[in-house]
Short mmCIF file of all heavy atoms in Angstrom, two decimals:
data_model
loop_
_atom_site.label_atom_id
_atom_site.label_comp_id
_atom_site.label_asym_id
_atom_site.label_seq_id
_atom_site.Cartn_x
_atom_site.Cartn_y
_atom_site.Cartn_z
N GLY A 878 -115.55 -61.63 55.78
CA GLY A 878 -116.08 -60.79 56.84
C GLY A 878 -117.31 -61.37 57.52
O GLY A 878 -117.72 -60.88 58.59
N ARG A 879 -117.89 -62.41 56.94
CA ARG A 879 -119.08 -63.04 57.53
C ARG A 879 -118.82 -64.48 57.96
O ARG A 879 -119.43 -64.94 58.93
CB ARG A 879 -120.23 -63.03 56.52
CG ARG A 879 -120.64 -61.65 56.04
CD ARG A 879 -121.90 -61.71 55.17
NE ARG A 879 -121.71 -62.48 53.96
CZ ARG A 879 -122.41 -63.57 53.64
NH1 ARG A 879 -123.36 -64.01 54.46
NH2 ARG A 879 -122.18 -64.21 52.50
N PHE A 880 -117.96 -65.17 57.25
CA PHE A 880 -117.67 -66.58 57.54
C PHE A 880 -116.27 -66.70 58.15
O PHE A 880 -115.37 -65.93 57.81
CB PHE A 880 -117.71 -67.41 56.26
CG PHE A 880 -119.08 -67.62 55.67
CD1 PHE A 880 -120.18 -66.89 56.09
CD2 PHE A 880 -119.27 -68.56 54.67
CE1 PHE A 880 -121.43 -67.08 55.53
CE2 PHE A 880 -120.51 -68.78 54.09
CZ PHE A 880 -121.60 -68.02 54.54
N THR A 881 -116.12 -67.69 59.02
CA THR A 881 -114.82 -67.99 59.63
C THR A 881 -114.56 -69.48 59.56
O THR A 881 -115.35 -70.27 60.08
CB THR A 881 -114.78 -67.53 61.08
OG1 THR A 881 -115.06 -66.12 61.16
CG2 THR A 881 -113.41 -67.79 61.68
N ILE A 882 -113.45 -69.84 58.93
CA ILE A 882 -113.06 -71.24 58.84
C ILE A 882 -112.03 -71.52 59.92
O ILE A 882 -111.19 -70.67 60.24
CB ILE A 882 -112.48 -71.56 57.44
CG1 ILE A 882 -112.24 -73.06 57.29
CG2 ILE A 882 -111.22 -70.77 57.16
CD1 ILE A 882 -111.85 -73.46 55.85
N SER A 883 -112.12 -72.70 60.51
CA SER A 883 -111.16 -73.09 61.53
C SER A 883 -111.01 -74.60 61.52
O SER A 883 -111.85 -75.31 60.98
CB SER A 883 -111.58 -72.60 62.92
OG SER A 883 -112.82 -73.18 63.29
N GLY A 884 -109.92 -75.07 62.11
CA GLY A 884 -109.67 -76.50 62.13
C GLY A 884 -109.15 -76.95 63.48
O GLY A 884 -108.62 -76.15 64.25
N ASP A 885 -109.35 -78.21 63.76
CA ASP A 885 -108.85 -78.82 64.99
C ASP A 885 -108.18 -80.13 64.58
O ASP A 885 -108.85 -81.16 64.42
CB ASP A 885 -109.99 -79.06 65.97
CG ASP A 885 -109.51 -79.55 67.31
OD1 ASP A 885 -108.41 -80.17 67.39
OD2 ASP A 885 -110.21 -79.33 68.31
N ASN A 886 -106.85 -80.09 64.41
CA ASN A 886 -106.14 -81.27 63.93
C ASN A 886 -106.27 -82.44 64.89
O ASN A 886 -106.35 -83.60 64.48
CB ASN A 886 -104.66 -80.94 63.71
CG ASN A 886 -104.45 -80.00 62.55
OD1 ASN A 886 -105.31 -79.84 61.70
ND2 ASN A 886 -103.29 -79.37 62.51
N ALA A 887 -106.32 -82.17 66.17
CA ALA A 887 -106.42 -83.23 67.16
C ALA A 887 -107.73 -84.01 67.03
O ALA A 887 -107.78 -85.21 67.30
CB ALA A 887 -106.29 -82.65 68.56
N LYS A 888 -108.76 -83.31 66.62
CA LYS A 888 -110.07 -83.95 66.47
C LYS A 888 -110.35 -84.34 65.02
O LYS A 888 -111.43 -84.87 64.73
CB LYS A 888 -111.18 -83.00 66.96
CG LYS A 888 -111.13 -82.70 68.45
CD LYS A 888 -112.30 -81.82 68.86
CE LYS A 888 -112.29 -81.58 70.36
NZ LYS A 888 -113.42 -80.71 70.78
N ASN A 889 -109.40 -84.08 64.14
CA ASN A 889 -109.62 -84.35 62.71
C ASN A 889 -110.90 -83.67 62.24
O ASN A 889 -111.73 -84.28 61.55
CB ASN A 889 -109.72 -85.86 62.47
CG ASN A 889 -108.63 -86.35 61.54
OD1 ASN A 889 -107.69 -85.64 61.23
ND2 ASN A 889 -108.77 -87.58 61.09
N ALA A 890 -111.06 -82.41 62.62
CA ALA A 890 -112.30 -81.71 62.35
C ALA A 890 -112.02 -80.31 61.80
O ALA A 890 -110.96 -79.73 62.04
CB ALA A 890 -113.14 -81.61 63.62
N MET A 891 -113.00 -79.81 61.09
CA MET A 891 -112.93 -78.46 60.55
C MET A 891 -114.31 -77.84 60.71
O MET A 891 -115.32 -78.56 60.72
CB MET A 891 -112.54 -78.51 59.06
CG MET A 891 -112.43 -77.17 58.39
SD MET A 891 -111.77 -77.31 56.72
CE MET A 891 -113.12 -78.15 55.88
N TYR A 892 -114.35 -76.52 60.83
CA TYR A 892 -115.61 -75.84 61.10
C TYR A 892 -115.76 -74.64 60.17
O TYR A 892 -114.79 -74.09 59.65
CB TYR A 892 -115.64 -75.38 62.56
CG TYR A 892 -115.32 -76.47 63.52
CD1 TYR A 892 -114.02 -76.62 64.03
CD2 TYR A 892 -116.28 -77.40 63.91
CE1 TYR A 892 -113.70 -77.64 64.90
CE2 TYR A 892 -115.97 -78.44 64.78
CZ TYR A 892 -114.69 -78.55 65.27
OH TYR A 892 -114.37 -79.58 66.12
N LEU A 893 -117.01 -74.22 60.00
CA LEU A 893 -117.29 -73.00 59.27
C LEU A 893 -118.36 -72.24 60.04
O LEU A 893 -119.52 -72.66 60.08
CB LEU A 893 -117.77 -73.30 57.84
CG LEU A 893 -117.94 -72.06 56.96
CD1 LEU A 893 -116.57 -71.41 56.67
CD2 LEU A 893 -118.65 -72.42 55.65
N GLN A 894 -117.94 -71.16 60.68
CA GLN A 894 -118.88 -70.30 61.38
C GLN A 894 -119.43 -69.31 60.36
O GLN A 894 -118.65 -68.58 59.74
CB GLN A 894 -118.17 -69.55 62.52
CG GLN A 894 -119.02 -68.48 63.19
CD GLN A 894 -120.17 -69.04 63.97
OE1 GLN A 894 -120.01 -70.02 64.70
NE2 GLN A 894 -121.35 -68.44 63.84
N MET A 895 -120.74 -69.29 60.22
CA MET A 895 -121.38 -68.43 59.22
C MET A 895 -122.30 -67.44 59.91
O MET A 895 -123.24 -67.85 60.60
CB MET A 895 -122.16 -69.29 58.22
CG MET A 895 -121.34 -70.39 57.57
SD MET A 895 -122.23 -71.27 56.27
CE MET A 895 -123.53 -72.02 57.22
N ASN A 896 -122.04 -66.17 59.72
CA ASN A 896 -122.85 -65.11 60.31
C ASN A 896 -123.47 -64.26 59.22
O ASN A 896 -123.04 -64.30 58.06
CB ASN A 896 -121.98 -64.23 61.21
CG ASN A 896 -121.38 -65.00 62.37
OD1 ASN A 896 -121.99 -65.91 62.93
ND2 ASN A 896 -120.15 -64.64 62.75
N SER A 897 -124.46 -63.49 59.59
CA SER A 897 -125.13 -62.57 58.66
C SER A 897 -125.53 -63.28 57.37
O SER A 897 -125.27 -62.78 56.26
CB SER A 897 -124.21 -61.39 58.35
OG SER A 897 -123.86 -60.70 59.54
N LEU A 898 -126.14 -64.42 57.53
CA LEU A 898 -126.51 -65.22 56.37
C LEU A 898 -127.58 -64.53 55.54
O LEU A 898 -128.46 -63.83 56.07
CB LEU A 898 -126.99 -66.60 56.81
CG LEU A 898 -125.87 -67.53 57.31
CD1 LEU A 898 -126.44 -68.67 58.14
CD2 LEU A 898 -125.08 -68.07 56.14
N ASN A 899 -127.49 -64.72 54.23
CA ASN A 899 -128.50 -64.20 53.33
C ASN A 899 -128.93 -65.29 52.34
O ASN A 899 -128.33 -66.38 52.32
CB ASN A 899 -128.00 -62.95 52.61
CG ASN A 899 -126.72 -63.20 51.84
OD1 ASN A 899 -126.69 -64.05 50.95
ND2 ASN A 899 -125.66 -62.47 52.17
N ALA A 900 -129.92 -65.00 51.55
CA ALA A 900 -130.49 -66.01 50.66
C ALA A 900 -129.46 -66.58 49.69
O ALA A 900 -129.55 -67.75 49.31
CB ALA A 900 -131.66 -65.42 49.90
N GLU A 901 -128.49 -65.77 49.33
CA GLU A 901 -127.45 -66.23 48.39
C GLU A 901 -126.52 -67.27 49.01
O GLU A 901 -125.74 -67.90 48.30
CB GLU A 901 -126.63 -65.05 47.87
CG GLU A 901 -127.37 -64.14 46.88
CD GLU A 901 -128.50 -63.37 47.52
OE1 GLU A 901 -128.32 -62.87 48.66
OE2 GLU A 901 -129.57 -63.26 46.89
N ASP A 902 -126.59 -67.43 50.30
CA ASP A 902 -125.78 -68.45 50.97
C ASP A 902 -126.46 -69.82 50.97
O ASP A 902 -125.87 -70.81 51.41
CB ASP A 902 -125.50 -68.05 52.42
CG ASP A 902 -124.68 -66.77 52.52
OD1 ASP A 902 -123.71 -66.63 51.76
OD2 ASP A 902 -125.02 -65.92 53.37
N THR A 903 -127.66 -69.89 50.49
CA THR A 903 -128.40 -71.15 50.43
C THR A 903 -127.70 -72.13 49.49
O THR A 903 -127.27 -71.75 48.40
CB THR A 903 -129.83 -70.92 49.94
OG1 THR A 903 -130.54 -70.16 50.93
CG2 THR A 903 -130.56 -72.23 49.70
N GLY A 904 -127.58 -73.37 49.95
CA GLY A 904 -126.96 -74.39 49.12
C GLY A 904 -126.53 -75.57 49.96
O GLY A 904 -126.75 -75.60 51.17
N VAL A 905 -125.92 -76.53 49.30
CA VAL A 905 -125.35 -77.67 50.00
C VAL A 905 -123.86 -77.39 50.21
O VAL A 905 -123.15 -77.06 49.26
CB VAL A 905 -125.54 -78.98 49.21
CG1 VAL A 905 -124.95 -80.15 49.98
CG2 VAL A 905 -127.01 -79.21 48.92
N TYR A 906 -123.43 -77.53 51.44
CA TYR A 906 -122.06 -77.24 51.80
C TYR A 906 -121.27 -78.53 51.98
O TYR A 906 -121.76 -79.47 52.64
CB TYR A 906 -122.01 -76.41 53.08
CG TYR A 906 -122.39 -74.97 52.86
CD1 TYR A 906 -123.69 -74.61 52.53
CD2 TYR A 906 -121.44 -73.95 52.96
CE1 TYR A 906 -124.04 -73.29 52.30
CE2 TYR A 906 -121.78 -72.62 52.74
CZ TYR A 906 -123.07 -72.31 52.40
OH TYR A 906 -123.42 -70.99 52.18
N TYR A 907 -120.09 -78.55 51.40
CA TYR A 907 -119.23 -79.72 51.45
C TYR A 907 -117.85 -79.34 51.97
O TYR A 907 -117.39 -78.21 51.77
CB TYR A 907 -119.03 -80.30 50.05
CG TYR A 907 -120.28 -80.66 49.30
CD1 TYR A 907 -120.95 -79.71 48.55
CD2 TYR A 907 -120.75 -81.97 49.31
CE1 TYR A 907 -122.09 -80.05 47.83
CE2 TYR A 907 -121.89 -82.32 48.59
CZ TYR A 907 -122.54 -81.36 47.86
OH TYR A 907 -123.68 -81.70 47.15
N CYS A 908 -117.18 -80.28 52.58
CA CYS A 908 -115.77 -80.09 52.90
C CYS A 908 -114.95 -81.08 52.06
O CYS A 908 -115.44 -82.14 51.68
CB CYS A 908 -115.49 -80.27 54.38
SG CYS A 908 -115.84 -81.92 55.03
N ASN A 909 -113.73 -80.70 51.78
CA ASN A 909 -112.84 -81.55 51.01
C ASN A 909 -111.46 -80.94 51.08
O ASN A 909 -111.26 -79.86 51.64
CB ASN A 909 -113.31 -81.66 49.56
CG ASN A 909 -112.96 -83.00 48.92
OD1 ASN A 909 -111.80 -83.39 48.91
ND2 ASN A 909 -113.97 -83.69 48.42
N THR A 910 -110.50 -81.63 50.52
CA THR A 910 -109.18 -81.05 50.41
C THR A 910 -109.21 -79.93 49.38
O THR A 910 -110.16 -79.79 48.59
CB THR A 910 -108.17 -82.11 49.99
OG1 THR A 910 -108.61 -82.70 48.76
CG2 THR A 910 -108.03 -83.21 51.04
N SER A 911 -108.14 -79.14 49.37
CA SER A 911 -108.01 -78.09 48.38
C SER A 911 -106.64 -78.20 47.72
O SER A 911 -105.63 -77.98 48.38
CB SER A 911 -108.16 -76.71 49.02
OG SER A 911 -107.98 -75.68 48.05
N PRO A 912 -106.62 -78.58 46.45
CA PRO A 912 -107.74 -78.89 45.57
C PRO A 912 -108.43 -80.19 45.97
O PRO A 912 -107.89 -80.95 46.78
CB PRO A 912 -107.09 -79.01 44.19
CG PRO A 912 -105.70 -79.46 44.49
CD PRO A 912 -105.33 -78.72 45.75
N GLN A 913 -109.62 -80.41 45.42
CA GLN A 913 -110.39 -81.59 45.79
C GLN A 913 -109.70 -82.87 45.33
O GLN A 913 -109.38 -83.04 44.16
CB GLN A 913 -111.78 -81.52 45.14
CG GLN A 913 -112.64 -82.73 45.46
CD GLN A 913 -113.21 -83.36 44.19
OE1 GLN A 913 -113.37 -82.72 43.17
NE2 GLN A 913 -113.51 -84.63 44.28
N LEU A 914 -109.46 -83.76 46.30
CA LEU A 914 -108.77 -85.02 46.01
C LEU A 914 -109.61 -86.23 46.39
O LEU A 914 -109.30 -87.35 46.00
CB LEU A 914 -107.43 -85.08 46.77
CG LEU A 914 -106.42 -84.00 46.46
CD1 LEU A 914 -105.24 -84.09 47.43
CD2 LEU A 914 -105.93 -84.12 45.02
N VAL A 915 -110.65 -86.01 47.17
CA VAL A 915 -111.44 -87.08 47.75
C VAL A 915 -112.85 -87.02 47.17
O VAL A 915 -113.35 -85.93 46.91
CB VAL A 915 -111.48 -86.92 49.29
CG1 VAL A 915 -112.37 -87.97 49.93
CG2 VAL A 915 -110.08 -86.98 49.86
N PRO A 916 -113.49 -88.15 46.95
CA PRO A 916 -114.89 -88.12 46.48
C PRO A 916 -115.75 -87.27 47.41
O PRO A 916 -115.54 -87.26 48.63
CB PRO A 916 -115.30 -89.59 46.51
CG PRO A 916 -114.02 -90.33 46.31
CD PRO A 916 -112.98 -89.54 47.02
#
């Protein structure tokens, strides 16, 4: 309800729109395959 994930295959890109952020959202954010296959 606060975050939205989206992708653009043509650009080889993915996005994460994050709204209503709170302190618990603090951290380092990573992208990877699911499940993780890449370093």
